[in-house]
C-alpha cells in the first residue's frame, strides 16, 4: 500500500490532523512535537488521541512521523543549548509513548565550528542519554543538505553516529530527497547508485521514512530550499522513480513542499497516479 502524506499543523490536535489528512487523500502525516522554534510543549489530550486512533485504524493509516523542533541542536558548542536539546528530546519521547509505535525524526544538528568529529560525539552522547530499552518509538536521523556546519550530510557521518549508539535497534534513518540532492547525491541520474551506497554504509534495513521534496537548487548546492513536486531540480521523472523503487516503495513518504492543504491534495493525487500498483 502507498503510504503518502504531508506535514500538517498540530493546532487542531491528532483527530484534526487525521481529518485533514483524509481530506487531502493522505494516509499518514508528519507533525511538529511542539512549536518548531522550541519552547514548551502542550500536554497531549488522551481523548483526542483515542478518537484519532479509531479514525487511523478505520482508514488504514501508516506510521506517523513526529518532527523535533528545528532549534534542537544536540551538538551545539553552547552547553545550555545542548541541555535544552536533551530535555526537549527526552520530553518529546516521553509524550510519544502516548502514541506508541510511531517515528520521531530529528536533525543531527550543527557543530558550529567544533568540527564534525566533536559534533558526532555530542550527538551520540545525547542519544545514549535518551534512548531506553522500553521506548516504543523509533528515533530517526534525517540526512541533511550540508548548509553551514550541519552534521549528517553524508551517509558516512550518519553511520558514525549509529556506531556510537548503544541501543541501535531504537534508531533509523529518514532520507530527505531535497537534502540528498543538495548534499550532492545524484537521484536524477543514479538513484540505484545512491541507494547501493546507502546500503553499503548504513544498510537499507535502517531506512524508515522518506521526506519527498523537490529542490530549488542544483545538485551539491548545500542550500536546503524545498520546491513543489516536479517544479525543481529533481523533476517529476526522478521523483516517480523514487516512489516506485523496490527499496523505497513500502516506506511512508511525507511531503514538506511549500503548499497549503489544496496544494498538498494536488501533489498527493498526482503521486498516487504515478505509483505503480
Ligand atoms: Fe527536517
Ligand atoms: Fe526534511
Ligand atoms: Zn529541509
Amino acid at each position: 500500500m502507498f503510504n503518502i502524506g504531508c506535514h500538517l499543523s498540530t493546532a487542531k490536535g491528532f483527530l484534526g490532523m487525521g481529518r485533514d489528512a483524509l481530506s487531502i487523500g493522505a494516509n499518514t502525516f508528519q507533525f511538529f512535537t511542539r512549536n518548531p522554534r522550541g519552547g514548551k510543549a502542550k500536554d497531549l489530550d488522551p481523548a483526542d488521541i483515542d478518537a484519532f486512533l479509531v479514525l487511523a485504524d478505520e482508514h488504514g493509516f501508516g506510521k506517523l512521523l513526529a518532527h523535533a523542533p528545528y532549534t534542537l541542536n544536540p551538538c551545539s558548542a553552547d552547553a545550555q543549548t545542548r541541555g535544552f536539546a536533551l530535555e526537549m528530546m527526552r520530553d518529546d519521547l516521553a509524550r510519544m509513548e502516548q502514541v506508541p509505535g510511531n517515528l520521531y525524526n530529528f536533525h543531527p544538528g550543527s557543530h558550529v565550528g567544533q568540527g564534525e568529529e566533536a559534533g558526532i560525539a555530542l550527538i551520540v552522547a545525547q542519544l545514549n542519554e535518551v534512548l531506553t530499552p522500553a521506548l516504543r518509538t523509533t528515533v530517526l536521523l534525517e540526512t541533511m543538505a550540508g548548509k553551514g556546519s550541519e552534521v549528517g550530510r553524508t551517509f558516512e557521518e550518519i553511520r558514525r553516529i549509529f556506531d556510537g549508539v548503544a541501543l541501535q535497534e531504537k534508531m533509523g534513518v529518514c532520507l530527505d530527497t531535497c537534502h540528498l540532492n543538495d548534499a550532492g547525491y545524484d537521484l536524477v541520474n543514479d538513484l540505484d547508485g545512491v541507494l547501493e551506497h546507502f546500503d553499503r554504509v548504513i544498510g537499507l534495513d535502517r531506512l524508515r521514512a522518506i521526506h519527498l521534496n523537490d529542490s530549488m537548487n542544483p545538485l551539491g548546492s548545500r542550500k536546503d530550499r524545498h520546491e513543489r513536486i516536479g517544479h525543481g531540480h529533481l523533476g517529476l521523472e526522478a521523483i516517480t522513480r523514487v516512489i516506485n523503487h523496490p527499496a523505497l516503495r513500502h516506506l511512508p513518504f511525507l511531503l514538506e513542499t511549500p503548499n497549503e492543504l489544496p496544494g498538498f491534495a494536488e501533489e498527493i493525487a498526482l503521486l498516487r497516479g504515478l505509483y505503480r500498483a
Side-chain angles (χ1 to χ4, degrees), residues 59-272:
H59 295 274
F61 271 54
K63 282 189 194 300
L64 307 182
L65 187 52
H67 197 304
Y70 293 144
T71 49
L72 185 141
N73 186 5
C75 62
S76 169
D78 174 48
Q80 195 177 23
T81 306
R82 290 201 303 273
F84 284 137
L86 181 67
E87 283 324 305
M88 269 198 272
M89 193 180 281
R90 190 177 268 147
D91 181 55
D92 280 351
L93 291 177
R95 287 176 319 111
M96 286 296 288
E97 288 298 300
Q98 294 180 55
V99 275
N102 288 302
L103 309 166
Y104 175 78
N105 175 70
F106 77 105
H107 297 175
S110 296
H111 65 67
V112 279
Q114 304 171 94
E116 161 198 318
E117 204 65 48
I120 288 171
L122 289 168
I123 297 160
V124 164
Q126 170 160 330
L127 287 167
N128 282 330
E129 289 258 357
V130 299
L131 298 177
T132 62
L135 195 70
R136 290 174 291 175
T137 300
T138 304
V139 177
L140 307 188
L141 289 157
E142 180 170 357
T143 62
M144 302 309 293
K147 64 179 186 309
S149 64
E150 272 174 352
V151 178
R153 181 181 65 89
T154 67
F155 299 157
E156 286 76 9
E157 286 175 25
I158 299 282
R159 166 61 192 261
R160 279 157 63 205
I161 298 171
F162 264 96
D163 282 345
V165 171
L167 294 169
Q168 285 176 20
E169 68 277 17
K170 303 291 178 187
M171 299 279 306
V173 176
C174 174
L175 285 180
D176 184 310
T177 53
C178 168
H179 298 179
L180 285 173
N181 175 77
D182 292 13
Y185 291 105
D186 191 353
L187 301 179
V188 176
N189 298 300
D190 192 20
L191 176 61
D192 281 335
V194 171
L195 293 174
E196 276 160 28
H197 183 182
F198 183 93
D199 194 33
R200 205 160 56 238
V201 176
I202 299 173
L204 283 168
D205 56 320
R206 283 176 165 158
L207 193 49
R208 295 300 154 80
I210 306 287
H211 282 166
L212 195 64
N213 303 305
D214 212 324
S215 176
M216 287 188 187
N217 291 290
L219 182 68
S221 59
R222 302 209 187 179
K223 289 279 207 256
D224 192 1
R225 300 276 311 279
H226 301 187
E227 180 55 284
R228 285 171 301 137
I229 297 300
H231 293 263
H233 285 260
L234 289 177
L236 198 53
E237 267 183 53
I239 288 172
T240 304
R241 286 194 290 274
V242 167
I243 60 173
N244 286 295
H245 195 284
L248 308 178
R249 54 182 285 117
H250 61 285
L251 295 166
F253 292 93
L254 286 311
L255 299 162
E256 299 174 311
T257 44
N259 279 305
E260 304 293 332
L261 287 180
F264 283 129
E266 277 177 37
E267 287 188 347
I268 289 170
L270 172 71
L271 292 162
R272 284 198 181 283

Side-chain angles (χ1 to χ4, degrees), residues 26-69:
N27 56 1
T28 180
F29 56 86
Q30 174 174 272
F31 60 98
F32 281 125
T33 52
R34 64 186 72 214
N35 183 307
R37 305 205 167 275
K40 201 171 160 17
K42 276 199 305 191
D43 282 339
L44 299 182
D45 169 7
D48 173 51
I49 290 174
D50 287 347
F52 165 71
L53 291 175
V54 171
L55 182 91
D57 189 50
E58 270 172 23
H59 295 274
F61 271 54
K63 282 189 194 300
L64 307 182
L65 187 52
H67 197 304

